[in-house]
Amino acid sequence: MLYDLAKPFIFTLEAERAHGLTIAGLKAVPMGPAPKSDPILRSTVAGLDFVNPIGMAPGFDKNGEVPDALIRMGFGYAEVGTLTPLPQAGNPKPRIFRLVKDRAVINRLGFNNGGQDDAMPRLERIKRRMGHGMLGINIGANKDSKDRIADYVIGAKNMSPLADYLTVNISSPNTPGLRALQDKAALQQLLAAVMEARGAHHIPVFLKVAPDLQPSDIDDIVEVAMDQKIDALIVSNTTISRPDLLSANREESGGLSGAPLKNLALERLRDFRKASGGTIALIGVGGIETADDAFERICAGASLIQLYTAMIYRGPTMARKMACGLAEILKREGFTSVSEAVGSSTDK
Ligand SMILES: Cc1cc2nc3c(=O)[nH]c(=O)nc-3n(C[C@H](O)[C@H](O)[C@H](O)COP(=O)(O)O)c2cc1C
């Protein structure tokens, strides 16, 4: 309600400035305790206990400044990043575009972030305040890195002692050549190196993939992920494709997120479920706006879900509302837990 009143003003601000003010506001405003989630939403994935399966997707909190505030807003977990070993400025501005009529965003940020050395002491402090909320840290490679795999190894070494899980992000469309790491041989080498780099901290490792993949790519990724004992696949990042869009900014280059990504991300999730036969946990992301969307993604095979763009259009209470709505739907449909519903609409 309040957000609906404030939205016209917020949307007059340039998108990246509005985002900066949101992060500053979350840091400044003291928030109450995290809302209690309905016990039906409790989920154990990769050995981690989530109070609810709704997570904030990476990109919102690139530098790991407010994961505790996100938990207090009702998210069951927050994935921060993408954090690269060295700080980097990213692409020239403007580089985030709202597509209001489409309830979508195009971004070509290019991993702008303050670097891992800056984030580590802060995350160590904030983690202690996160209570039951899970912290995921999403790692990437610097644009000018001579050895990108070495960057992921640095990220895994740095972040394993701090995070509940690590995400290897090789699917951003805004770092040239990054998605080539999804190719079979490169992926095998990358994941083996990351798994080893965790050292004694055997925290779960998730792999985030693009939605713009061919069936043979999907089979290869599943094979390598299973071979390397990756704990979950996150499906998906933004798309470089352009479904029919209505808004003025549709010509901008970059990754598209929000409502127009929904069908593609859902289709890819089903593809990954089919290719893996349910043997690897999946996390559904892309165009999730409502509790019904979350439920649909769970029934298609997702053990957890994430969202970002919908919060831009629906405001800060949406995680809380989605959690309540999802609990109601699960009960109405006769499920006693999230895990019971996972994959229930697919033929295994
Ligand atoms: C402005 C913006 C920045 C993003 N930055 C990252 C990022 O740094 N790392 C990453 O893995 N995904 C990033 N994403 C992708 C999201 O995490 C998510 O996969 C995608 O937006 C689809 O979900 P949505 O439709 O709910 O937004 C970003 C998305 C947006 C809109």
Side-chain angles (χ1 to χ4, degrees):
M1 177 69 179
L2 257 182
Y3 187 73
D4 287 341
L5 292 174
K7 202 162 93 176
F9 165 71
I10 295 170
F11 277 26
T12 61
L13 301 173
E14 187 271 317
E16 198 164 345
R17 178 155 164 67
H19 180 256
L21 289 173
T22 307
I23 297 285
L26 287 175
K27 277 163 79 176
V29 177
M31 294 171 80
K36 286 238 175 324
S37 290
D38 191 307
I40 198 171
L41 296 177
R42 276 188 210 138
S43 315
T44 302
V45 180
L48 303 174
D49 294 324
F50 294 81
V51 288
N52 77 56
I54 302 164
M56 171 51 92
F60 176 80
D61 185 8
K62 288 215 180 235
N63 288 316
E65 296 173 280
V66 291
D68 51 338
L70 292 167
I71 299 303
R72 292 200 188 95
M73 284 160 66
F75 286 98
Y77 67 110
E79 186 172 314
V80 302
T82 297
L83 283 158
T84 54
L86 300 176
Q88 64 180 27
N91 291 321
K93 294 179 185 175
R95 53 196 182 171
I96 306 182
F97 305 91
R98 296 186 194 96
L99 285 77
V100 178
K101 282 188 192 152
D102 299 291
R103 303 190 307 286
V105 164
I106 290 175
N107 92 81
R108 50 169 180 269
L109 287 164
F111 287 171
N112 57 312
N113 75 107
Q116 292 168 3
D117 287 346
D118 168 69
M120 282 191 294
R122 182 172 50 248
L123 282 169
E124 198 176 349
R125 264 194 323 273
I126 296 178
K127 180 77 179 83
R128 289 191 223 117
R129 302 199 293 260
M130 282 184 67
H132 296 300
M134 289 288 145
L135 174 67
I137 303 183
N138 178 306
I139 56 172
N142 280 110
K143 184 179 172 199
D144 297 329
S145 169
K146 299 262 175 308
D147 182 348
R148 288 199 165 149
I149 292 184
D151 277 20
Y152 287 92
V153 166
I154 294 171
K157 284 191 175 145
N158 281 338
M159 297 307 176
S160 292
L162 303 175
D164 291 305
Y165 73 84
L166 280 184
T167 294
V168 175
N169 177 18
I170 46 168
S171 48
S172 166
N174 299 314
T175 297
L178 190 81
R179 284 169 302 156
L181 287 170
Q182 292 178 134
D183 295 346
K184 197 172 181 183
L187 188 61
Q188 185 84 11
Q189 207 191 334
L190 168 70
L191 294 181
V194 167
M195 296 306 264
E196 162 123 30
R198 293 172 305 164
H201 300 277
H202 267 176
I203 63 167
V205 173
F206 300 170
L207 176 70
K208 184 166 179 181
V209 299
D212 312 308
L213 294 170
Q214 299 303 314
S216 60
D217 302 328
I218 294 172
D219 289 339
D220 286 350
I221 291 171
V222 167
E223 194 186 319
V224 176
M226 284 167 65
D227 188 48
Q228 290 298 329
K229 301 193 170 48
I230 293 302
D231 296 274
L233 294 169
I234 306 184
V235 188
S236 71
N237 215 312
T238 55
T239 179
I240 52 170
S241 71
R242 292 291 182 265
D244 294 337
L245 296 171
L246 305 167
S247 311
N249 283 327
R250 62 179 178 262
E251 308 298 340
E252 296 294 343
S253 65
L256 173 71
S257 59
L261 173 59
K262 176 176 151 175
N263 289 342
L264 180 64
L266 176 60
E267 207 179 305
R268 281 300 157 272
L269 182 75
R270 291 195 170 123
D271 292 342
F272 273 96
R273 171 79 183 189
K274 205 164 169 203
S276 63
T279 52
I280 186 160
L282 300 174
I283 300 175
V285 201
I288 296 177
E289 297 183 296
T290 63
D292 285 302
D293 293 342
F295 181 66
E296 185 179 35
R297 220 57 74 101
I298 289 166
C299 294
S303 296
L304 300 169
I305 63 112
Q306 295 182 344
L307 61 91
Y308 176 178
T309 304
M311 205 175 77
I312 298 172
Y313 290 100
R314 289 170 185 248
T317 55
M318 78 161 294
R320 205 179 279 230
K321 283 185 192 148
M322 188 179 278
C324 292
L326 182 59
E328 266 172 39
I329 297 171
L330 285 166
K331 288 174 196 170
R332 190 186 67 212
E333 298 298 321
F335 293 106
T336 56
S337 65
V338 174
S339 63
E340 216 178 87
V342 173
S344 56
S345 70
T346 62
D347 318 309
K348 263 200 245 167

